[in-house]
Amino acid sequence: MKVIPSAVAGVLILEPVVHGDARGFFMESYNKRAFAQATGIEAEFVQDNHSRSSKNVLRGLHYQIRQPQGKLVRVVVGEVYDVAVDLRRSSPSFGKWAGFRLSAQSKRMAWIPPGFAHGFLVLSDVAEFLYKTTDYYAPEHERTLLWNDPALGIDWPLEDAPLLAAKDRGGKTLREAETYP
């Protein structure tokens, strides 16, 4: 596995070893030992999630103020623009974001550490997004950071207005948001 640092320390892009031939391909999408050796991160994943979204759907930026989740994310159908925002006030990169493309074709994955808000924009006609989390979903602790907060200045590759859930339209700005120490 190749580890590629992102624009924000701690957020990693992971390139798995893919074995392919005329029949198709094989890859390990997750191996605890290989993940720890490549990243230096000892993560225990407790939940797997799978979402399917249409083009121009923007999900996020989500985080849990308690029970923060580390996420290992990947796309198995289509392509997304993935974004992670550092919400740890003690971090030198507080309020900074990293954005990158993930696709079924590239097979790249990303590690989003606990303490980050996370979201993605679907670039293809449809995308299926899989992610492992280090803590359980706790709706009572879920928060949403406003996807288009000018203070963040995220450069989403939008062609039209995104399709948003009500909770994403009503996200808090960085200034208003609950953050981590």
Side-chain angles (χ1 to χ4, degrees):
M1 172 183 310
K2 180 179 177 184
V3 178
I4 304 163
S6 75
V8 176
V11 176
L12 304 173
I13 300 163
L14 309 171
E15 208 167 79
V17 175
V18 179
H19 307 278
D21 60 26
R23 300 169 297 155
F25 74 90
F26 171 84
M27 66 178 236
E28 283 186 346
S29 59
Y30 177 71
N31 175 308
K32 185 175 183 173
R33 182 177 46 227
F35 179 80
Q37 287 173 348
T39 65
I41 298 165
E42 293 284 340
E44 173 147 357
F45 296 105
V46 299
Q47 184 173 321
D48 281 5
N49 300 312
H50 184 156
S51 72
R52 180 179 172 94
S53 304
S54 300
K55 185 174 182 140
N56 225 31
V57 166
L58 194 154
R59 295 184 183 267
L61 299 159
H62 303 145
Y63 63 103
Q64 291 185 175
I65 196 64
R66 289 187 184 74
Q67 294 177 234
Q69 298 173 310
K71 297 177 181 176
L72 183 61
V73 304
R74 67 190 184 110
V75 174
V76 295
V77 172
E79 181 178 25
V80 306
Y81 185 72
D82 201 72
V83 172
V85 180
D86 191 347
L87 294 181
R88 304 166 300 168
R89 287 201 176 273
S90 60
S91 170
S93 58
F94 173 75
K96 304 287 187 224
W97 60 275
F100 38 83
R101 290 173 184 256
L102 297 176
S103 70
Q105 183 177 355
S106 76
K107 297 176 187 50
R108 284 183 167 180
M109 297 173 270
W111 164 250
I112 315 296
F116 281 72
H118 174 256
F120 63 89
L121 171 68
V122 178
L123 303 175
S124 51
D125 287 339
V126 68
E128 292 195 24
F129 194 86
L130 300 179
Y131 57 106
K132 300 174 126 7
T133 64
T134 59
D135 210 335
Y136 297 102
Y137 175 62
E140 68 275 20
H141 301 308
E142 185 177 34
R143 303 292 184 269
T144 303
L145 186 64
L146 187 62
W147 68 276
N148 63 349
D149 179 0
L152 297 173
I154 297 171
D155 188 17
W156 297 99
L158 289 164
E159 294 176 6
D160 296 307
L163 303 171
L164 300 163
K167 73 177 178 180
D168 297 339
R169 278 192 302 276
K172 303 284 185 195
T173 64
L174 181 62
R175 191 170 143 213
E176 303 166 319
E178 290 180 74
T179 57
Y180 303 97

